[in-house]
Amino acid sequence: MSGSQHTARSIQEIASFHAHVYYDPATSRAEAERLRGLIGERFAVTVGRWHDEKVGPHDQAMFQVAFTPGVFAELVPWLMLNHGSLSILVHPNTTDPRRDHKADALWIGAQLAVHVDKLPGESEAEAAPAPNTQPTLRP
Ligand code: ZN
């Protein structure tokens, strides 16, 4: 009934999700530490390292939470209620990081800039990262 341009994308494209939790090292790192601890205790996710300096497309210091699609329905509503003053970017991981981080992302809290020019486009992208299924809170 339609050409390929009308075919809906399948959620099977989503290998995993990231939640990037932004903070200001001068004013809100303690709040971020508290939230990070609560997440690590509660959810089967991989909590990434602290990035007190801006990295990649991110406009503020942040840490990353990687999780499988199965965790989304519990984790994302919990973040909506518990993010406090912090901004969180939730995005899918498909084969197109630029699209994933901007056009297809959602925000919890105040929206920040995302510098997608610092990400590979679809043709240059690696395969989406494998989902993480073990709860681990890295130091
Ligand atoms: Zn990400």
Side-chain angles (χ1 to χ4, degrees):
M1 261 160 260
S2 64
S4 60
Q5 72 271 28
H6 298 301
T7 304
R9 296 171 71 193
S10 167
I11 59 170
Q12 303 305 322
E13 283 184 47
I14 302 174
S16 64
F17 287 93
H18 287 167
H20 293 279
V21 179
Y22 296 95
Y23 60 93
D24 181 337
T27 61
S28 57
R29 199 181 198 277
E31 185 177 4
E33 286 173 8
R34 200 157 51 242
L35 184 64
R36 189 170 184 269
L38 294 172
I39 293 167
E41 288 168 358
R42 283 167 177 73
F43 298 101
V45 298
T46 299
V47 181
R49 330 192 269 106
W50 293 99
H51 293 285
D52 285 327
E53 308 288 332
K54 297 177 192 177
V55 291
H58 304 291
D59 200 54
Q60 222 182 64
M62 64 88 199
F63 68 86
Q64 176 198 79
V65 180
F67 56 100
T68 59
V71 176
F72 186 101
E74 282 180 71
L75 175 62
V76 174
W78 188 91
L79 291 172
M80 288 171 171
L81 301 183
N82 291 285
H83 70 98
S85 74
L86 305 174
S87 292
I88 303 177
L89 173 70
V90 179
H91 71 80
N93 289 305
T94 69
T95 56
D96 188 337
R98 284 184 194 163
R99 185 174 178 175
D100 292 344
H101 281 79
K102 193 138 189 181
D104 295 349
L106 64 84
W107 283 93
I108 299 170
Q111 193 167 336
L112 304 174
V114 177
H115 306 284
V116 287
D117 52 302
K118 295 185 177 167
L119 289 166
E122 183 171 29
S123 58
E124 313 148 67
E126 308 270 317
N132 298 290
T133 55
Q134 300 303 312
T136 56
L137 185 58
R138 293 183 193 159

